[in-house]
Amino acid sequence: MTVVITTPPPTPNGPLHVGHLSGPYVAGDIAARALRAAGADVLTMSGLDSNQNYVLAKAEALGRPVDEVRRDYSDQIRSALAKARIEYDVFLDPATDTGYREAMRRLPGELLGIAEETVLHRCPGCGRTMHHAYVAGLCGTCGAGAAGGACEACAGYNTAGTLREARSTCCDAVPEEYTARVPVLRLEDYRDQLTRTWAGAEMHPRVVGLVRRLLADGLPTVPVAYPTDWGIELAHPDSHPRDLRLDVWVEMAFGYLYKIARALDPDARTLADCVAAWNRVDELWHFLGIDNAFYYAVLIPAVFAAAGARPGVLRGLAVNEFYRLDGLKFSTSRDHAVWALDFLDEQDPGDVRLFLAQDRPDRYESDFTADAFKTGRPSADADLERARRALAPSGFDPALAARLLLPLRDDPRAR
C-alpha cells in the first residue's frame, strides 16, 4: 500500500514556534512513522511556501532585501524541523528548485482555459493587486478579522471584493475595482467530483460545516493567476497576457501533482504523466491547521479533479485547531510565542514531541503553559475541559473522556 502524507509548507516570513509544531508537523511525522512500522510504503512531503506574498510584505516591513529575509527564515525553519526530528521524503524549496519553477510555469497551461475578463481589486495608492497579504478587513462569512484568502476563524474564502471594510495593507486604502484578463478555476464546474471526494474522505466536523456552507451558497471562482509582484510567472501563450503570476495555493496544488509524481516516476513530465503516477497512490492524507481547510478540502481537490485524478485518492484531512499560549493565540507579529529553535535547544526533543502529541489541539483549541510542560501533562482544568468536549455529540469519544477523568475522580470539579 502506498500512502502519501503532506503537511503545509511553512511560509518563510518568520521562524517556527511551538504552536506550529503542535499542529500538523509533529503529528504528520508520528503518523508516517506508525504507518511504516505497520509495513506501509509511505511518502511524505512538505517544503517552504516561498511564493506567498507575505514574504515580500515581511521584508518590506523590516526594510531588508526580500531574498535575504526569505533565506534567513528558511534556514531557521529547516533547523527547527531537523531538531524536532521531523524528516520528509520530498522537501520542496521553490526558491532553489529550477525544475519545479519551470514545471509550474508550464503545467497550469496544459489544464487551464483561455484567460477571461475578471473583476479584481487594487490599491489606489500604489496600484498593487489586493490579494492574500495585500488586503485585510472583516471576513464576509463570520465577521472576524481576516486577510485575503482563507479566514483563520471560520475557514471561509475571502477576496478583496468579499471582505467587509477592506483596506490595502500597503497604503491603508479602500480597494478600487479594475478588470484584467486572468485564467480562473470555476469550482462549481467540479461540484460532482468534489462531492464524491468529500463523501469518501474523513473530515473534521468544522471542515464538514465549511463544505456544507459552500455547497449551499455556491462554490467560488478562484483566480489562477494575478497581475502582481511576487510568485512564479506563468508562461504566456497567445491566450494569456504577460506578467501574470501563479496564485500560490493553485501553485501548491500543481506542486503536489508534480513533485509526488516525480518521486514515484522520475520520468514524469506532462500533466498526464503526473496523473498516471498519482493513480499508483492508494491513500492521500493531508495534515493541516483549520485555517488552511478551504485550500486542502476544496481548492487542491478541485485542481486534482480538473487534472483527471481519481476522487478516491484523498482519504482524509487530519485537522488541528489553534494552540494557545497562556490563553492567547500564538502570534509571530506580537512576539507572543515560544520559538521552536530556542525551545528545542533547551529541552529534549523527545520530551517535546511526546508532550505536544499529548496536548495537541486536535478537535478544539488547547493551551500551552510552561508549568504543564514541566510536569509532563496538561493541567487538571485542561484535562477536564477536554473530557467535557469529548462527551459532546460532535467528536464523541467516551474512551478519551474516561482516560482523562479517571485521574481526576477525587477532584470535585470532575463531578
Side-chain angles (χ1 to χ4, degrees):
M1 182 174 70
T2 300
V3 182
V4 172
I5 290 178
T6 77
T7 59
T11 304
N13 67 331
L16 287 184
H17 51 61
V18 170
H20 292 128
L21 293 182
S22 75
Y25 301 108
V26 168
D29 186 67
I30 291 172
R33 291 172 185 242
L35 282 166
R36 287 184 176 120
D41 181 15
V42 181
L43 189 64
T44 59
M45 178 174 170
S46 191
L48 296 163
D49 199 9
S50 304
N51 292 321
Q52 285 276 9
N53 58 12
Y54 285 91
V55 179
L56 181 57
K58 180 69 170 186
E60 291 175 345
L62 295 174
R64 295 175 58 195
V66 62
D67 287 338
E68 179 183 289
V69 169
R70 175 195 53 75
R71 183 177 58 253
D72 286 352
Y73 285 132
S74 294
D75 289 345
Q76 292 181 47
I77 289 168
R78 286 178 179 271
S79 296
L81 292 172
K83 287 186 177 182
R85 302 173 184 168
I86 298 170
E87 298 179 351
Y88 294 97
D89 302 302
V90 179
F91 192 86
L92 169 64
D93 185 351
T96 60
D97 191 332
T98 55
Y100 167 82
R101 292 201 303 274
E102 177 55 34
M104 292 305 99
R105 295 183 71 245
R106 171 177 48 83
L107 286 181
E110 296 185 31
L111 178 63
L112 304 169
I114 296 173
E116 57 186 72
E117 295 294 322
T118 304
V119 175
L120 300 175
H121 294 78
R122 64 187 167 203
C123 173
C126 63
R128 265 181 170 164
T129 300
M130 294 169 62
H131 66 111
H132 297 305
Y134 296 163
V135 62
L138 302 178
C139 175
T141 299
C142 72
C151 171
E152 288 190 351
C154 73
Y157 177 68
N158 289 293
T159 67
T162 61
L163 285 168
R164 305 202 304 267
E165 302 178 23
R167 311 282 291 196
S168 68
T169 55
C170 43
C171 302
D172 195 33
V174 176
E176 65 177 13
E177 289 187 358
Y178 78 105
T179 302
R181 289 182 60 239
V182 300
V184 298
L185 189 66
R186 299 184 183 281
L187 301 187
E188 272 293 340
D189 292 347
Y190 304 100
R191 175 180 281 252
D192 289 345
Q193 295 100 311
L194 287 171
T195 301
R196 292 201 300 274
T197 294
W198 296 328
E202 294 184 24
M203 296 194 297
H204 186 285
R206 284 229 284 156
V207 179
V208 173
L210 168 66
V211 165
R212 286 174 175 166
R213 289 200 312 270
L214 290 171
L215 287 173
D217 298 341
L219 297 165
T221 295
V222 177
V224 168
Y226 295 93
T228 190
D229 56 358
W230 190 250
I232 295 176
E233 292 188 31
L234 282 181
H236 43 78
D238 293 340
S239 60
H240 289 171
R242 295 174 182 266
D243 301 324
L244 291 180
R245 295 177 186 265
L246 191 60
D247 174 82
V248 68
W249 287 99
V250 175
E251 174 203 332
M252 197 175 301
F254 278 99
Y256 286 136
L257 278 169
Y258 175 73
K259 292 297 290 186
I260 294 295
R262 293 274 292 179
L264 295 170
D265 177 7
D267 294 326
R269 176 172 172 79
T270 67
L271 195 60
D273 294 338
C274 293
V275 171
W278 265 97
N279 285 338
R280 293 158 48 185
V281 174
D282 296 293
E283 296 185 4
L284 167 63
W285 292 87
H286 293 304
F287 283 68
L288 61 140
I290 188 65
D291 52 328
N292 290 328
F294 170 80
Y295 297 111
Y296 282 91
V298 186
L299 181 63
I300 292 173
V303 171
F304 271 56
R310 55 187 176 84
V313 69
L314 178 62
R315 291 298 303 277
L317 307 178
V319 176
N320 61 273
E321 296 284 350
F322 288 112
Y323 204 31
R324 295 187 173 271
L325 172 61
D326 296 325
L328 298 174
K329 181 179 176 291
F330 275 81
S331 172
T332 301
S333 61
R334 298 196 312 271
D335 198 28
H336 182 72
V338 175
W339 303 111
L341 268 176
D342 296 338
F343 195 56
L344 290 162
D345 278 341
E346 299 166 357
Q347 307 295 337
D348 181 272
D351 292 343
V352 172
R353 288 172 61 99
L354 181 62
F355 180 80
L356 293 180
Q358 181 184 21
D359 203 33
R360 171 177 159 80
D362 46 6
R363 296 178 188 160
Y364 37 82
E365 295 176 350
S366 53
D367 190 28
F368 178 90
T369 67
D371 287 343
F373 181 76
K374 287 176 183 177
T375 61
R377 61 168 297 136
S379 69
D381 286 339
D383 277 351
L384 181 58
E385 179 61 21
R386 188 180 292 250
R388 285 172 175 159
R389 297 197 182 201
L391 293 174
S394 177
F396 182 66
D397 190 344
L400 173 61
R403 285 194 294 271
L404 292 166
L405 290 173
L406 280 173
L408 303 176
R409 58 188 178 275
D410 296 326
D411 191 323
R413 291 172 295 180
R415 294 173 186 167

